Structure formats: structure tokens, C-alpha cells
Amino acid sequence: MNPTPSQTVGPFFGYALPFPRGGEIAAGAGALTVHGHVFDGAGQPIPDALLEFWQADPAGGRGGAPGTLRRDPVNGAILGRHGLDFTGFGRVPTDADGHWTLRTRPPGGRPYIAVAVFARGLLHHLYTRIYLRGDVADPLLDRLTPERRRTLVATEERPGVLRFDIRIQGDEEHEETVFLDFS
Amino acid sequence: MPDSQEQITAEIVESHRVYAKAREESGQESRHVLRDFAPYRSSILRHPKQPLVVAGDPEAVELTGPVFGVTDVTALDSDLTRQHVGEPMGERITVTGRVLDRAGRPVRGQLVEVWQANAAGRYAHQRDDHPAPLDPNFTGVGRCLTDGDGRYAFTTIKPGPYPWRNHVNAWRPAHIHFSLFGTAFTQRLVTQMYFPGDPLFPYDPIFNSVPDEQARQRMVAAYDHDLSVPEWSRGFTWDIVLDGAFEGEHR
Ligand SMILES: [Fe+2]
């Protein structure tokens, strides 16, 4: 069947799509923090982007679990994950500085967190991956030049804190992030 | 100096002409949007210049995706006219349709999210500061899960068209923003549903960022008189087809 075309998320998703603790896939002991900026082709941070994350659980399970939003039946408020199930899904809007933060546990199996990038001005979302380490054999990484490969690997700032910037468009000084085709 | 509508329209027409010529020569139809679509000025610095890299991994994590359940929605979420003490201003409508994968199979039990402007064309968002009234009885956010046939249904009010600053005298055709999940992360879709016969279509660079006329029409809902309820609401239908590979697709 012919697909429905994509359209930009626009500037006004902020009161509809983000939810409390959307970037806290997992918290507590053993959780790590991944954070960074989203930049445009002029090197400017993008304050109206939305990132979504999908990953396997620490044992490598890819089934996810419902309950990322988990609602209060009394008033409809979003309570969020209860912390027992690993839902595997996170959603974070960038702040006024174009910055985002994710807290999660490392996935089992393939060593990456899948990312979908949405933004005002971006007509169709983009997929990329956060590889938590670069010293791995991987069917995607192994096909990239070193410069391109580096854009997919998070850098450790200190134990438990990783940095991962996303450049929707490269500029003279910065390599564009590798984006993926799953069609 | 911001561009005129004349300039933007000329760019749209030229882009569609180039596409039609390429389609004729190659026989290849474009089924999607162009990320690099200069008439939508904000896209100029916000699209990748490098080609996408084919993931090429049958075990890719993206071939599975997040799941949602009854705890993630409440019954009131799908009726945007009942989320406040009073009734919102505007034309009451229902919007329903099915979410399908590209093989035509229903996507069951998945999350559908919508957001929209009120009847006057104003969003309940601080960044929308144009001089149209806010409606204390309308937020404009809805959610539901698709049923066993992949069907979603919302009751809401018809959103108004609204101005924006892409160029001088830029107006968005009335639309409802939709966010959809399939069974795989690859099938994720955020799009906009338009209303049939909107006179603003030829002027809007976002609608026209889809170069193919038939593909553009797949973003436009149909009026369905049988879905209208006497003295209550008008009915619209809109089916959504998700693209992208998923686990078990070829089984
Ligand atoms: Fe909008």
C-alpha cells in the first residue's frame, strides 16, 4: 500500500508529546546518563527538537513493556513508568539550549540505543544510533569511514556520563551525524 | 526582507514541475516528503546533506518497537471536547480511520496521539502569540489506542487555519497533527491530517513539500456523511499507512 507522507512536527508539539520523566527509561543504581545537543547546519543548537529512544532491555529483550505514560485514573495525569518493567521507550524535547538528557541502562545484545529525531523545520524524522562504545564489531559501524563512524559513538565524559551530539546538517568544521535508512 | 507569497508559490510550482518531469522520464513516483524543500525556509538548515545509510541488518533493534497498553490512555483522552468544565467553541467533528502497515494489515493496540489549534487557529502553547482567542475549554491534545481492526477515533472541534512567519501573509491550511507507532520503530510516523477542499493548499510550503499530487492527497481526510450525527457532529475519515520494514514482515 502507498504510505502516508510525513510532515514536520512543527513548533507546537511541546504541550502534547513530551511527558514527565520521558527521558528516564531507567533510574537508580546501574543507570547511566547520555546527554548532548542537537545542532543545525549553521552550528546553532535546535531548541525545538524532540528525540525518541528505543532499546533492548539489559538482558537483550526487545519486547518492551506498556506503561511508559501510565495514567492516574482519577484525574488523567501522567504518572509515568512504575520502575519495575523496562519499557525501553523514552521521549525528550530539547531545552532552550538545544540540550537533552537520557537516563537508562545499557541494552543487552546489539550495543546501541535507537534514536528518532523530530524538529520544527525537519519534514520527515531521522533515525540514528547511540553506540555506547566504539570498540565493537558491528554490521553498520564496520561499513563507515572513521570520520562518519565517530558521529555514532558516544564519548565518556566521566564514569556513567556519556556525551552524544546530533548534527542534523554538517558544517565546515563538523561532520554531519550518520542517519539511517530502514525502508 | 521576508519573502512574498508570490516568491514562495513560484518556488513550489517550479519544484513540482521538476518532480513531474523526473517522474515522467524515470517512471519513478516519489511517495514521501522532500526533506530539502527550500520554500519551507526552516528546512534549509535542518535537513541532512549526506545520503542516508542503509542499516542492512536483519537483527536491527529498530525492527521492533515500543508497546503501549490500557494504562497509557484514559477514556477521556479521545474526546477533546470533554476535557474541561465547559464546551469548546467551534464545529464539533469526529475523525476516524485505520492504521495499516504497508502490507495493508491493521496495526492493533498501538498509540495514536493528536494535537491541534482551537477553532480560532490558536494553539495552547506560549510560542503561539498571534492575536486569536484562546479557548479555556479546549486544550487540543488527544490520545487513543487502535482497536482490533487498527481503528482510531477522536471527537474534537475543527481547527482553524493560522498565520505563521515563513513569508509575508503565510497561512497554514487547517490541520490536525498525528503521531503514530507501528510494531517496529522503523514505522514511526508524525504527520498532519488536512481537510478536503481547503483553499490554502496551493499556498502552503509544508503541504507542498510532498512533490507527488497523489501522495499529497493521502494526507487529506474525506468527509463522510454517514458518520455525521444529526444535530451533533460532522464525520471525517482518514486511513493511515505506515512505511518501514518490521520484524516478520515477509513471513
Ligand atoms: Fe500546526
Side-chain angles (χ1 to χ4, degrees):
Chain A
M1 295 189 81
N2 284 319
T4 309
S6 166
Q7 295 272 269
T8 179
V9 73
F12 301 131
F13 59 82
Y15 72 104
L17 298 183
F19 49 87
R21 293 188 293 120
E24 212 174 90
I25 295 178
L32 51 86
T33 300
V34 190
H35 75 112
H37 285 85
V38 182
F39 295 105
D40 70 13
Q44 293 299 308
I46 297 182
D48 41 18
L50 181 76
L51 302 184
E52 288 187 350
F53 305 95
W54 166 243
Q55 65 164 92
D57 66 31
R62 298 175 179 188
T68 297
L69 296 171
R70 201 171 56 99
R71 308 293 290 284
D72 184 335
V74 175
N75 59 14
I78 293 175
L79 299 170
R81 309 168 191 89
H82 55 43
L84 299 172
D85 297 331
F86 192 90
T87 73
F89 178 67
R91 180 186 274 170
V92 186
T94 53
D95 63 21
D97 287 328
H99 184 258
W100 57 273
T101 307
L102 176 72
R103 288 191 179 81
T104 189
R105 281 179 218 284
R110 293 273 194 274
Y112 61 82
I113 298 167
V115 185
V117 182
F118 303 84
R120 180 181 67 82
L122 180 60
L123 284 156
H124 194 162
H125 65 276
L126 291 164
Y127 292 107
T128 188
R129 289 175 175 174
I130 304 169
Y131 283 82
L132 299 179
R133 41 192 301 182
D135 56 345
V136 288
D138 178 87
L140 172 67
L141 290 185
D142 293 348
R143 283 186 290 125
L144 301 173
T145 64
E147 296 75 39
R148 300 289 285 147
R149 179 182 174 120
R150 260 197 293 279
T151 70
L152 296 183
V153 181
T155 50
E156 187 170 42
E157 289 187 325
R158 56 181 191 273
V161 180
L162 299 168
R163 169 128 197 145
F164 187 82
D165 289 332
I166 296 170
R167 292 184 184 274
I168 290 183
Q169 191 179 93
D171 56 38
E172 289 91 55
E173 289 165 53
H174 303 98
E175 188 72 27
E176 186 172 290
T177 299
V178 168
F179 296 107
L180 302 174
D181 179 357
F182 291 102
S183 61
Chain B
M1 180 73 185
D3 300 294
S4 64
Q5 179 70 59
E6 196 178 21
Q7 169 68 26
I8 296 295
T9 303
E11 291 180 30
I12 290 171
V13 167
E14 173 60 11
S15 159
H16 289 183
R17 190 193 64 76
V18 168
Y19 165 73
K21 187 157 178 283
R23 179 182 172 167
E24 198 170 300
E25 282 166 8
S26 69
Q28 291 281 324
E29 178 189 327
S30 167
R31 307 189 307 164
H32 286 288
V33 74
L34 301 167
R35 287 192 181 89
D36 178 9
F37 192 68
Y40 177 29
R41 296 298 191 234
S42 301
S43 76
I44 293 173
L45 291 172
R46 295 186 174 192
H47 71 271
K49 294 193 160 169
Q50 305 252 14
L52 302 186
V53 177
V54 175
D57 175 4
E59 298 289 316
V61 172
E62 292 89 346
L63 298 176
T64 60
V67 293
F68 299 89
V70 290
T71 62
D72 291 308
V73 293
T74 71
L76 270 180
D77 288 357
S78 64
D79 189 340
L80 287 71
T81 68
R82 290 180 59 213
Q83 295 171 352
H84 295 271
V85 174
E87 292 256 352
M89 297 291 290
E91 304 168 45
R92 188 182 296 105
I93 61 171
T94 56
V95 181
T96 187
R98 296 172 76 209
V99 183
L100 306 168
D101 66 28
R102 62 190 184 185
R105 290 175 289 203
V107 174
R108 300 187 176 96
Q110 259 303 9
L111 182 66
V112 180
E113 298 163 284
V114 295
W115 70 104
Q116 64 168 89
N118 68 23
R122 179 101 181 254
Y123 283 89
H125 189 295
Q126 259 188 190
R127 272 190 57 180
D128 185 357
D129 57 359
H130 88 279
L134 286 168
D135 184 340
N137 292 313
F138 191 73
T139 304
V141 174
R143 293 185 194 90
C144 73
L145 297 179
T146 55
D147 70 11
D149 292 323
R151 182 166 294 280
Y152 70 87
F154 291 101
T155 301
T156 183
I157 53 102
K158 189 166 183 288
Y162 60 86
W164 59 311
R165 294 177 182 134
N166 187 70
H167 54 279
V168 175
N169 209 14
W171 290 84
R172 295 296 330 280
H175 59 273
I176 299 177
H177 294 267
F178 270 73
S179 159
L180 304 129
F181 291 83
T183 55
F185 202 49
T186 61
Q187 294 173 296
R188 192 80 180 85
L189 177 66
V190 168
T191 186
Q192 302 179 23
M193 185 205 90
Y194 298 91
F195 291 86
D198 197 313
L200 290 168
F201 286 155
Y203 305 100
D204 181 39
I206 294 182
F207 179 72
N208 287 295
S209 62
V210 177
D212 189 90
E213 167 65 16
Q214 277 149 26
R216 281 199 295 284
Q217 290 310 315
R218 295 199 291 274
M219 303 188 291
V220 182
Y223 172 68
D224 187 337
H225 198 63
D226 291 338
L227 281 179
S228 293
V229 178
E231 298 173 45
W232 183 250
S233 61
R234 290 190 303 143
F236 291 87
T237 57
W238 188 51
D239 290 343
I240 300 156
V241 178
L242 307 181
D243 210 353
F246 52 95
E247 207 166 59
E249 180 175 12
H250 300 296
R251 270 174 216 158

